């Protein structure tokens, strides 16, 4: 019986990265998982083949041996390395591979009922959940409390979370006879596999609870109060420990991740703890100076604009920014004044402006003055 090349099995190149190998295996495992292909011998073979290839290629030491010596280099390698202790070394190795990839692929909670009720006897942590909420600019600045509803689960009332029908027990897995591992003979050696029927639990749930189909939980809407800390920024995520999906069979709950979306503000934009706004003023205000009303997060304030202010000038209003995350100090507010040139003016205003321009001394306009001088020099 000749074996296929492991790289070929996973459909990756000889130089595939660890991630590429994992991705390829994940795809095949999802496609050929025994629980998705009930009674298909072909799928089972494919699943085993891919799993074996992944076990070797995901382990740098084994992969190196395989690259060097081919199948002969890795067959029964666990038997060798454990130095006469039988399968010892091989087992733990393998458990890690599976724990890792299956929680990655299927999420921890789908392990249970989803797959033949396997591993039903063990406690498992609930899945992490995520949701997102929208908060106002001000709410993000000052912090707030938000009421949210999330679709989660509660312990199944019928079975108390065990996933079993009343009066029934978990049964020993017929495939692995309770060992959680199956063995494949490779010539002289045996290789161990996590049992595909029970996923290593050694037991199966033959009489799943009718209400929850063996999952041990029922869907339920949960209302939660979320404290939004002051200073939170758009795109940040809050982690609410233990507010995720309930654990299985008494295991701890997962966590809830709340993604924060901060609404845009009519006046303000934000950069770290500082806020920015623009205030239009007339050129008369800019020339003569004025006190203008500006918005802040704490309400309106008057800001002095000195005479001769140029357009684009930025004024700092200290301590009117965002509260630093979790702290009491605040950032600043930056106010950019933009001189607005008047449009649609009357005949009378035009006359006034013309008179103004005629009397305007070049020393009042230093930028214009030097510009004109430079232009002259340049073209002479
Ligand atoms: Zn139930
Ligand atoms: Zn089994």
């Amino acid at each position: 019986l000749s074996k296929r090349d492991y790289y070929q099995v996973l459909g990756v190149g000889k130089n595939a990265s660890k991630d590429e190998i994992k991705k390829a295996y994940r795809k095949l495992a999802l496609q050929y998982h025994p629980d998705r292909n009930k009674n298909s011998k072909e799928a089972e073979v494919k699943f085993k083949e891919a799993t074996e290839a992944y076990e070797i290629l995901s382990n740098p030491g084994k992969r190196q041996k395989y690259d060097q010596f081919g199948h002969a280099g890795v067959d029964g390698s666990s038997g060798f390395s454990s130095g006469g202790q039988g399968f010892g070394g091989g087992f733990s190795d393998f458990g890690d591979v599976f724990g890792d990839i299956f929680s990655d692929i299927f999420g921890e909670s789908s392990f249970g009922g989803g797959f033949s009720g396997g591993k039903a006897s063990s406690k498992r942590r609930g899945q992490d959940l995520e949701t997102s909420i929208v908060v106002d600019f001000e709410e993000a600045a000052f912090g707030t409390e938000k009421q949210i509803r999330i679709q989660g689960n509660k312990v199944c009332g019928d079975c108390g979370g065990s996933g079993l029908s009343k009066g029934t027990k978990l049964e020993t897995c017929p495939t692995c006879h309770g060992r959680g591992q199956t063995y494949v003979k490779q010539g002289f050696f045996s290789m161990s596999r996590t049992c595909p029927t029970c996923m290593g639990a050694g037991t199966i749930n033959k009489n799943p609870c009718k209400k929850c189909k063996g999952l041990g939980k029922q869907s339920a809407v949960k209302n939660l109060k979320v404290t939004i800390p002051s200073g939170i920024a758009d795109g940040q995520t809050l982690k609410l420990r233990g507010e995720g999906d309930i654990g299985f069979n008494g295991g701890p709950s997962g966590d809830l991740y709340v993604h924060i979306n901060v609404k845009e503000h009519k006046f303000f934009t934000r950069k770290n703890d500082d806020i920015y706004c623009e205030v239009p003023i007339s050129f008369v205000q800019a020339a003569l100076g004025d006190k203008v009303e500006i918005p802040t997060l704490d309400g309106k304030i008057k800001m002095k604009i000195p005479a001769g202010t140029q357009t684009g000038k930025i004024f700092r209003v200290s301590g009117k920014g965002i509260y630093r995350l979790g702290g009491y100090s605040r950032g600043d507010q930056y106010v950019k004044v933009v001189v607005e040139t008047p449009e649609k003016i009357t005949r009378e205003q035009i006359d006034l402006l013309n008179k103004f321009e005629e009397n305007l001394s070049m020393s009042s306009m230093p930028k214009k003055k030097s510009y004109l001088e430079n232009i002259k020099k340049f073209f002479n």
Side-chain angles (χ1 to χ4, degrees):
L1 189 113
S2 69
K3 280 164 80 173
R4 282 171 73 205
D5 174 65
Y6 288 146
Y7 291 99
Q8 216 174 1
V9 168
L10 295 182
V12 296
K14 297 260 183 223
N15 299 317
S17 70
K18 234 181 146 160
D19 264 4
E20 286 171 319
I21 286 166
K22 196 168 176 176
K23 221 177 262 173
Y25 173 61
R26 178 179 298 169
K27 207 172 134 206
L28 292 169
L30 278 168
Q31 190 179 349
Y32 295 117
H33 194 282
D35 280 346
R36 297 193 169 190
N37 301 274
K38 289 222 166 44
N39 306 321
S40 164
K41 193 77 199 160
E42 198 201 329
E44 192 190 323
V45 169
K46 287 243 160 87
F47 181 74
K48 284 182 177 167
E49 193 183 37
T51 301
E52 183 181 322
Y54 178 72
E55 191 229 2
I56 301 301
L57 298 186
S58 64
N59 178 311
K62 288 180 185 171
R63 184 176 176 181
Q64 197 201 350
K65 275 189 195 151
Y66 177 72
D67 287 345
Q68 217 171 343
F69 304 110
H71 289 292
V74 289
D75 282 357
S77 60
S78 58
F80 279 129
S81 60
S82 54
Q85 290 180 17
F87 294 99
F91 277 140
S92 57
D93 230 349
F94 218 67
D96 287 349
V97 170
F98 268 105
D100 178 32
I101 194 136
F102 279 107
S103 60
D104 259 19
I105 296 175
F106 306 109
E108 282 170 282
S109 77
S110 36
F111 245 127
F115 297 139
S116 317
K119 261 189 155 182
S121 58
S122 55
K123 284 183 182 181
R124 275 192 313 287
R125 182 178 174 276
Q127 216 169 358
D128 291 336
L129 298 175
E130 58 182 345
T131 187
S132 64
I133 56 175
V134 176
V135 297
D136 291 333
F137 194 91
E138 287 90 341
E139 289 176 324
F142 295 112
T144 186
E145 266 187 356
K146 285 274 177 188
Q147 201 73 35
I148 59 168
R149 280 161 73 83
I150 54 163
Q151 183 61 52
N153 292 291
K154 59 178 185 182
V155 174
C156 173
D158 277 24
C159 63
S162 70
L164 288 159
S165 276
K166 274 205 179 74
T168 67
K169 290 192 303 190
L170 293 171
E171 290 180 27
T172 302
C173 171
T175 306
C176 64
H177 309 290
R179 300 161 91 168
Q181 305 278 329
T182 57
Y183 305 98
V184 181
K185 266 223 173 305
Q186 296 291 346
F188 203 63
F189 303 102
S190 284
M191 285 183 72
S192 62
R193 299 266 175 281
T194 294
C195 172
T197 306
C198 65
M199 301 301 295
T203 51
I204 55 165
N205 182 354
K206 270 198 168 168
N207 306 285
C209 165
K210 295 245 170 0
K211 187 140 189 187
C212 65
K213 299 186 175 65
L215 291 169
K217 60 189 182 180
Q218 293 168 261
S219 70
V221 171
K222 194 156 122 181
N223 288 300
L224 266 179
K225 202 187 268 177
V226 182
T227 303
I228 312 287
S230 60
I232 197 146
D234 186 51
Q236 286 187 309
T237 299
L238 296 172
K239 178 180 177 177
L240 305 188
R241 203 172 285 279
E243 297 291 0
D245 203 0
I246 58 164
F248 185 73
N249 211 17
S253 293
D255 300 325
L256 173 65
Y257 291 88
V258 182
H259 306 296
I260 307 294
N261 297 306
V262 180
K263 269 199 231 167
E264 283 186 10
H265 196 277
K266 209 179 257 179
F267 298 122
F268 307 128
T269 54
R270 175 174 169 179
K271 200 174 163 194
N272 303 321
D273 304 316
D274 298 325
I275 60 172
Y276 292 78
C277 70
E278 256 185 41
V279 177
I281 57 170
S282 74
F283 74 84
V284 179
Q285 284 177 300
L288 304 181
D290 199 2
K291 274 194 153 182
V292 296
E293 208 162 57
I294 60 158
T296 74
L297 286 172
D298 309 285
K300 289 184 282 190
I301 61 164
K302 290 266 188 187
M303 190 180 80
K304 191 172 174 278
I305 292 171
T309 292
Q310 301 296 331
T311 190
K313 168 102 181 153
I314 293 169
F315 295 93
R316 188 168 71 107
V317 185
S318 73
K320 289 291 182 193
I322 306 276
Y323 281 90
R324 300 211 161 84
L325 196 57
Y328 297 96
S329 64
R330 289 176 77 169
D332 301 323
Q333 179 170 347
Y334 290 92
V335 181
K336 182 179 179 182
V337 296
V338 179
V339 174
E340 187 175 29
T341 308
E343 300 171 66
K344 292 180 198 155
I345 52 178
T346 65
R347 190 66 247 173
E348 197 186 350
Q349 286 166 334
I350 291 170
D351 292 342
L352 280 168
L353 288 177
N354 275 327
K355 207 175 277 171
F356 173 77
E357 183 78 354
E358 278 162 29
N359 292 322
L360 190 64
S361 147
M362 263 303 154
S363 64
S364 303
M365 306 283 284
K367 266 188 222 152
K368 188 174 178 185
K369 190 177 168 221
S370 83
Y371 171 76
L372 292 176
E373 283 166 6
N374 286 333
I375 285 271
K376 210 183 268 173
K377 268 185 234 156
F378 187 71
F379 288 105
N380 279 343

